[in-house]
Amino acid sequence: MTSRYHEVYKSWEEDPEAFWAKAGEEIDWSKPAEKIFDPEMGMYGRWFAGAETNTCYNCVDRHVERGRPGQPAIIYDSPITGAKRTITYQELLSEVEALAAVLREKGIEKGDRVIVYMPMVPEALFAMLACARLGAVHSVVFGGFAANELATRVNDCEPKAIISASCGIEPNRVVKYKPLLDQALDIARHQPEFCLVVQREQGPCELTEGRDYDYLELVEAAKNAGTKVPPVPVAATDPLYILYTSGTTGRPKGVVRDNGGHMVALKWSMKAIYDIDPGEVFWAASDVGWVVGHSYIVYAPLLHGCTTIVFEGKPVGTPDAGVFWRVIEEHKVSALFTAPTAFRAIKKEDPQGEHVGRYDLSQMRTLFLAGERADPDTIRWAQDQLGVPVVDHWWQTETAWAIAANPAGLGLLPVKYGSPTVAMPGYKIEILDDAGHPVGPNTLGNIVVKLPLPPACLPTLWNADERFKESYLLEFPGYYKTADAGMLDDEGYVYVMSRTDDIINVAGHRLSTGAMEEVLSNHPDVAECAVIGAADALKGQMPMGFVVLKSGRDRDPLEIQKECIRLVREEIGPVAAFKTVHVVHRLPKTRSGKILRATMRHIVDHEDFRMPATIDDPAILDEIKGVVEHVDQMRVS
Ligand code: COA
Ligand code: AMP
């Protein structure tokens, strides 16, 4: 089939408002938009200004009203606990209404914030949807973050309530959430009025009297009372959620998502990008704590009337490298979306694909990869094993959906390995040099998107308009700065090579080296430090720290290394995967005192590099090389 991509992209370019107005017809509005795009509103204009709607109604009620009450909305498959549960749209409505009744009874109203700190259980989705139903703003915090990160988010968005669970389950341990929640609230300046806790049999917890309530008990009581909670109409431009993501410092950025534009873009993407029809099973093997989970475990598949999979497990080890294929066969999954790391992990365990052959994957049409650069080897291996097209697509927490993709529903374009293909309608991608001048094809530069951003992209940062402007709009006036570096080729294919800031990507998780440096510099023996992202065959990148000790400290460096590793785990969380730190005498710097992190990264990755002209003392690079070579040798021997 020839691709309709160019025709569709052109129709958007010619009349963006008509394009999105048409896409908006797929959404139920309680009040239509006065303006499809209002350039005067917000930081760069707002989509669907004046419209009213409710995201929960569009995800749940309307499918119950229009022929899908008995269709599974959610399939929970938890190889880590052995649990499985199918929830129809009718049952989903009843769960969400009951929880919304509990929240409303406890005082949650439109505009209130609610933090959701939960593992991959269906209640996490019920919580998000119940908030959306009431017009409350949820903020989901990933379970792998430590108490301190949770406290930072509590202070920033000041939630009226927190919905959590007694524990999450990792292959090697039960992660007790309750002590983390208590610790976070001990540190936090702001206190929620109440917490709801899902008690899990794998690790129930004591509830704090007067603050904590048993989620399941209250929901059961609300179901028995049969209280109906109608969806609350909200402005299309009102916030649906806040999702914190790494910035260049320890302070995360609260990405705001609206209700109207978000639904329009996500609904459009389900057919055009993912080639999925209502009624089909769509599986995003991620976590609700990340943007992929928000968009493609929860909102997009439900908006589209699909069945979504809530998978509580890992690609390998729960129980083996065949678990993805088992889930695809058992639940008749049409498209899988995951991070390249998951495939690298499977390939490492099962290079010959012996597990793949044991399952019937004939239902599956496409594999989608995102979250990090997809290396051609992994793409080829996945293609060979599964015999379906593998689509790499590029996006960010800030955008909620793909900036660039190979749109399966419009007809696939020829694949160029290493490129997530072309800009999606809504995005005009350009490459600028550091002075803001456009560069030609096949030339590396800053990847920017011409304003306005399309529907679903962040309108601002939570309570931080100025930070939003400084972070994204000021450096290249008229454009959104993606902070990714890359190029366009002469056919408009985009290549995303690296970040232009200090953010690294570990197993598809976005982490701030700045945040890790802030933690290390709090160690009493550390005078200065640098954290870089070293290339890693499995996870793409792994953080690596270098610390210089205060003069006169003669403690065992091994002890200090262990303490540094423990500090990062305690302050940021296990997800930081901070496992390597070197004690060095000095850090390489420019004459003005800037640490040469990029040069250090080249050394660690054994890449060629040009000696920076501004380096203060080139001999320090030899010291760094010496340390790295010593560690490499130890690893080999
Ligand atoms: N709650 C608590 N801890 C968590 C957690 C959670 N929800 N998720 C991860 N962690 C912990 C892990 O247990 C691990 O702890 P450890 O240092 O004690 O072993 C640490 O955080 C690092 O986790 P991760 O980077 O996921 O590595 P891993 O070694 O546990 O697993 C993979 C490796 C490849 C199996 C895993 O990274 C994976 O499934 N990746 C797929 C990519 C993906 O889903 N990306 C999401 C964005 S699309
Ligand atoms: P996050 O906000 O966590 O989704 O991370 C977004 C960042 O991940 C982007 O800015 C990129 O650096 C990287 N990224 C995501 N998808 C891709 C991809 N397909 N190719 C290359 N990098 C990607």
Side-chain angles (χ1 to χ4, degrees):
M1 157 180 160
T2 37
S3 177
R4 289 174 49 235
Y5 163 75
H6 292 288
E7 173 202 324
V8 173
Y9 189 81
K10 192 157 166 264
S11 77
W12 163 73
E13 264 185 317
E14 282 169 1
D15 193 344
E17 289 189 45
F19 183 92
W20 291 117
K22 177 133 189 16
E25 289 169 10
E26 296 282 317
I27 299 300
D28 281 32
W29 308 91
S30 45
K31 186 165 166 253
E34 284 154 20
K35 287 185 179 170
I36 298 301
F37 182 70
D38 183 348
E40 301 304 321
M41 265 181 96
M43 309 298 288
Y44 60 85
R46 297 298 304 265
W47 291 98
F48 300 96
E52 282 184 4
T53 184
N54 183 281
T55 296
C56 178
Y57 174 81
N58 276 278
C59 287
V60 187
D61 304 53
R62 69 169 174 166
H63 301 309
V64 174
E65 291 166 11
R66 290 181 223 156
R68 298 189 186 278
Q71 181 195 307
I74 298 172
I75 296 174
Y76 167 56
D77 189 313
S78 170
I80 211 154
T81 62
K84 284 185 198 172
R85 179 180 171 197
T86 299
I87 298 145
T88 64
Y89 271 99
Q90 182 74 63
E91 288 161 347
L92 178 59
L93 178 60
S94 133
E95 294 288 349
V96 171
E97 273 203 309
L99 179 57
V102 171
L103 293 173
R104 193 181 59 180
E105 197 268 324
K106 293 210 162 296
I108 298 294
E109 290 172 13
K110 183 163 145 178
D112 289 338
R113 272 84 57 212
V114 176
I115 278 189
V116 177
Y117 184 51
M118 293 188 98
M120 281 294 287
V121 291
E123 286 77 9
L125 282 72
F126 305 160
M128 294 162 79
L129 291 164
C131 290
R133 192 168 193 82
L134 297 174
V137 182
H138 63 69
S139 185
V140 182
V141 179
F142 178 62
F145 281 122
N148 187 53
E149 290 287 319
L150 178 57
T152 309
R153 287 154 176 78
V154 168
N155 285 339
D156 196 70
C157 76
E158 303 186 322
K160 207 170 191 178
I162 297 183
I163 306 180
S164 188
S166 56
C167 66
I169 301 147
E170 285 294 291
N172 53 359
R173 66 193 188 282
V174 170
V175 181
K176 291 186 179 159
Y177 277 37
K178 185 57 186 357
L180 293 169
L181 177 61
D182 289 344
Q183 209 185 325
L185 294 181
D186 280 347
I187 320 169
R189 185 178 11 87
H190 173 87
Q191 295 296 306
E193 288 176 15
F194 66 95
C195 301
L196 296 183
V197 182
V198 176
Q199 291 281 20
R200 301 190 74 188
E201 60 181 68
Q202 293 79 9
C205 63
E206 290 265 323
L207 299 180
T208 305
E209 178 100 27
R211 187 195 74 189
D212 300 345
Y213 298 88
D214 186 313
Y215 172 120
L216 296 173
E217 264 177 35
L218 293 191
V219 163
E220 195 52 37
K223 277 187 197 162
N224 292 336
T227 326
K228 293 274 168 236
V229 180
V232 174
V234 295
T237 48
D238 278 345
L240 167 69
Y241 71 74
I242 306 163
L243 179 57
Y244 288 88
T245 189
S246 299
T248 45
T249 65
R251 216 175 103 228
K253 293 169 169 168
V255 167
V256 174
R257 194 79 60 217
D258 69 8
N259 278 275
H262 175 242
M263 282 195 281
V264 173
L266 258 54
K267 176 81 171 75
W268 181 86
S269 72
M270 283 303 283
K271 182 65 197 169
I273 299 180
Y274 299 99
D275 191 25
I276 290 292
D277 289 317
E280 291 195 295
V281 184
F282 186 79
W283 179 22
S286 176
D287 187 290
V288 284
W290 307 115
V291 69
V292 173
H294 280 63
S295 293
Y296 291 105
I297 294 174
V298 188
Y299 289 111
L302 295 179
L303 281 167
H304 204 48
C306 292
T307 302
T308 184
I309 308 259
V310 172
F311 173 75
E312 192 182 27
K314 303 271 173 180
V316 292
T318 58
D320 56 36
V323 68
F324 272 24
W325 325 133
R326 196 267 298 157
V327 170
I328 291 169
E329 176 188 278
E330 191 171 327
H331 306 306
K332 300 197 167 31
V333 171
S334 294
L336 168 66
F337 175 172
T338 191
T341 296
F343 266 79
R344 287 195 293 266
I346 296 170
K347 182 175 153 206
K348 194 167 160 222
E349 288 283 305
D350 183 19
Q352 304 307 323
E354 281 164 19
H355 285 290
V356 185
R358 289 171 33 214
Y359 296 95
D360 173 7
L361 307 181
S362 54
Q363 188 83 17
M364 179 163 155
R365 293 195 299 273
T366 330
L367 168 67
F368 294 89
L369 298 177
E372 60 184 311
R373 195 171 154 71
D375 51 293
D377 273 359
T378 303
I379 296 188
R380 284 201 186 91
W381 185 82
Q383 236 157 11
D384 289 349
Q385 296 301 326
L386 302 175
V388 297
V390 178
V391 171
D392 174 19
H393 58 328
W394 165 57
W395 49 300
Q396 308 184 313
T397 305
E398 287 84 347
T399 66
W401 65 291
I403 309 170
N406 197 347
L410 302 179
L412 288 171
L413 294 163
V415 172
K416 295 190 189 181
Y417 290 103
S419 165
T421 319
V422 287
M424 288 297 91
Y427 297 96
K428 174 133 181 52
I429 298 176
E430 293 184 31
I431 311 292
L432 305 180
D433 66 16
D434 288 348
H437 305 304
V439 301
N442 304 311
T443 310
L444 274 178
N446 298 283
I447 314 181
V448 295
V449 178
K450 195 148 181 49
L451 292 174
L453 289 168
C457 291
L458 79 172
T460 190
L461 295 173
W462 180 252
N463 274 344
D465 285 350
E466 281 311 308
R467 189 175 180 205
F468 170 75
K469 262 199 243 163
E470 278 162 29
S471 307
Y472 302 105
L473 306 186
L474 288 187
E475 193 169 339
F476 304 108
Y479 295 93
Y480 163 81
K481 178 176 90 169
T482 66
D484 277 313
M487 61 188 189
L488 286 167
D489 74 5
D490 24 29
E491 290 183 306
Y493 279 59
V494 63
Y495 291 78
V496 183
M497 310 306 287
S498 59
R499 294 280 304 192
T500 59
D501 54 16
D502 292 332
I503 284 170
I504 61 171
N505 200 310
V506 180
H509 307 143
R510 172 168 156 181
L511 298 168
S512 160
T513 53
M516 293 184 218
E517 288 178 5
E518 280 176 28
V519 173
L520 293 178
S521 53
N522 283 335
H523 187 289
D525 291 335
V526 169
E528 57 178 351
C529 62
V531 177
I532 57 166
D536 183 80
L538 174 64
K539 295 190 177 184
Q541 283 184 304
M542 282 289 269
M544 183 182 281
F546 291 84
V547 294
V548 177
L549 302 186
K550 288 180 181 159
S551 58
R553 306 289 158 129
D554 55 1
R555 291 184 52 214
D556 179 358
L558 262 181
E559 279 305 306
I560 294 178
Q561 283 169 333
K562 277 191 209 149
E563 287 164 11
C564 285
I565 289 168
R566 200 171 53 234
L567 257 187
V568 174
R569 193 177 172 94
E570 280 168 9
E571 292 283 312
I572 297 178
V575 68
F578 185 78
K579 312 228 170 187
T580 316
V581 57
H582 302 297
V583 176
V584 292
H585 294 299
R586 299 176 295 175
L587 293 172
K589 290 185 185 164
T590 61
R591 282 187 283 278
S592 60
K594 201 166 170 283
I595 298 173
L596 290 162
R597 293 181 181 78
T599 314
M600 292 169 75
R601 191 164 42 73
H602 290 308
I603 292 175
V604 166
D605 291 348
H606 306 285
E607 288 171 356
D608 293 336
F609 64 93
R610 214 173 329 130
M611 181 70 70
T614 53
I615 193 165
D616 185 32
D617 181 357
I620 302 178
L621 293 183
D622 293 330
E623 287 176 26
I624 300 284
K625 250 188 228 162
V627 170
V628 171
E629 274 163 18
H630 177 66
V631 173
D632 285 350
Q633 271 164 12
M634 304 253 292
R635 227 180 261 142
V636 173
S637 55

